[in-house]
Amino acid sequence: MPKTGGYSVDIELTINGERTIVEAGSGDDLATVLRQHGYIDVKCGCDGGTCGASKIFVDGEVRMACGMEATDADGSEIQTVAALGTQADLHPVQQAFVDNFAVQCGFCIPGMVIQAVALLDSNPDPTEQEVREALDDNVCRCTGYQKPVEAVLDAAERMQGEQSVAADGGHPVTVAQHGDESTSCCGGDCDE
């Protein structure tokens, strides 16, 4: 529902690939409108576009949805974290966050994942410092920044094809290279 006391307008958005028309009240931020229409993967921790939890892609650019007027997004293509992958087929960044235990309470993670995807799209092999700089406006209430940084670096490796994601969602396995001498579970150091 739009905020009371003002006017409301219909805006056209393409959200996660689906074209739709949503009602937005005057002064409604984009995060509020998206959440009202069921896109609850968009979080909002500050209502002002500063904490990073509400990050989404708007026409391919990372934006904080709670810091953007919904009407300013009219005609835009929106991608939320839910569109990156599915439970059965997570995006490599999402899988790396799971595998590296980078999700604590989870509230800030959608924004971090969106920012990480944007970083790896523009810089597929970032340094740890570059990852930290990319995530520096994502506030984690649990103050757990080390694991997300490790997850982004792990995702970078995975996306370069150096590792594959374990089918069971567990730790990644190193892909055997053509010509590797052993394909056993322990690389030939056991009796199997």
Side-chain angles (χ1 to χ4, degrees):
M1 293 287 151
K3 290 180 181 175
T4 58
Y7 65 91
S8 64
V9 296
D10 289 338
I11 60 173
E12 184 175 328
L13 301 171
T14 301
I15 307 170
N16 296 340
E18 289 188 36
R19 193 176 204 157
T20 188
I21 294 176
V22 298
E23 184 178 0
S26 61
D28 280 350
D29 63 67
L30 184 56
T32 298
V33 170
L34 289 171
R35 290 184 61 80
Q36 288 171 344
H37 290 84
Y39 298 94
I40 58 172
D41 54 312
V42 179
K43 306 298 182 194
C44 192
C46 64
D47 282 332
T50 58
C51 78
S54 69
K55 285 183 178 177
I56 59 173
F57 287 107
V58 178
D59 294 328
E61 299 291 325
V62 175
R63 300 286 305 264
M64 294 190 201
C66 73
M68 178 178 185
E69 294 269 337
T71 52
D72 290 344
D74 189 20
S76 295
E77 188 168 316
I78 308 294
Q79 186 178 24
T80 72
V81 73
L84 297 176
T86 65
Q87 285 289 336
D89 186 23
L90 294 173
H91 185 281
V93 172
Q94 293 170 314
Q95 189 65 59
F97 269 69
V98 171
D99 292 345
N100 285 278
F101 305 102
V103 180
Q104 294 185 75
C105 81
F107 195 83
C108 66
I109 298 305
M112 283 197 191
V113 168
I114 290 287
Q115 187 64 59
V117 168
L119 170 67
L120 297 179
D121 280 350
S122 65
N123 180 0
D125 190 22
T127 65
E128 180 176 337
Q129 183 61 35
E130 290 168 331
V131 172
R132 290 184 181 282
E133 289 171 6
L135 299 179
D136 75 349
D137 63 348
N138 289 83
V139 177
C140 173
R141 296 175 184 176
C142 306
T143 68
Y145 295 99
Q146 184 60 36
K147 294 291 186 182
V149 168
E150 292 171 2
V152 175
L153 292 170
D154 183 21
E157 288 182 19
R158 293 176 190 210
M159 293 170 74
Q160 292 177 30
E162 294 175 15
Q163 292 181 325
S164 65
V165 176
D168 66 355
H171 278 292
V173 294
T174 301
V175 176
Q177 301 294 313
H178 181 69
D180 282 357
E181 293 181 14
S182 175
T183 57
S184 70
C185 65
C186 60
D189 293 335
C190 65
D191 294 332
E192 291 183 23

